[in-house]
Every structure is written in structure tokens, then in C-alpha cells.
Amino acid sequence: LCPPGTVCEATGTTLHTLNLTRGTWRVSNESSDVRPCPDATEETTGCVGGVGNVCKERLGGPYCAGCTAEAIADGRREDGSQG
């Protein structure tokens, strides 16, 4: 049985291969606790779903609400400041 917020159409779906719907998030691919993102109904939600990394590119953390380290580092280079 698939948790709400997921799609389990493939035979043999496991926690690691669980496909999350847009607007949902989980702490890791070992968790069955799938939660709606606070901005799930917005077009710009950071929670894009899928398998593996369920956050929009350059976003991460709880509910995909933070920047990745790479995004922060890139931003520093772009504005000329030193790391």
C-alpha cells in the first residue's frame, strides 16, 4: 500500500524507489513519512517530487525550503564576495 502523496505503479516499488508527487517531501528515501510541503499548492513550490532528490534544482533541506551548499557558493562567486 502506497502512502498518500506517492505513486506506486511499478511492481516491486520499495521505499528507495517510491515516487513522490509534486508538492510532497520526505526526510530520506528510507522514510515512509511523506508530508505535504507548505507551498505545495503554489506553482513555484520547491517540492517537485519524483524519486531520489525530490527538490527543485539548487534547493534542499526540510520541505525543499533552503538553498543547497552549491547554490550558496555560486551566489557568493556571482556577487564577488569571498567564501
Side-chain angles (χ1 to χ4, degrees):
L1 189 62
C2 294
T6 66
V7 178
C8 299
E9 294 175 348
T11 302
T13 298
T14 67
L15 281 178
H16 290 275
T17 62
L18 195 59
N19 188 1
L20 272 60
T21 59
R22 178 174 163 62
T24 59
W25 176 87
R26 63 180 174 161
V27 70
S28 78
N29 66 354
E30 296 178 354
S31 174
S32 62
D33 184 15
V34 178
R35 298 176 179 221
C37 291
D39 64 351
T41 60
E42 297 177 27
E43 186 65 31
T44 58
T45 182
C47 303
V48 295
V51 177
N53 183 8
V54 297
C55 297
K56 191 181 286 187
E57 187 177 355
R58 301 171 61 88
L59 294 179
Y63 302 104
C64 304
C67 294
T68 62
E70 294 162 347
I72 293 169
D74 288 349
R76 288 186 184 140
R77 284 196 297 271
E78 288 168 10
D79 71 11
S81 61
Q82 306 252 332

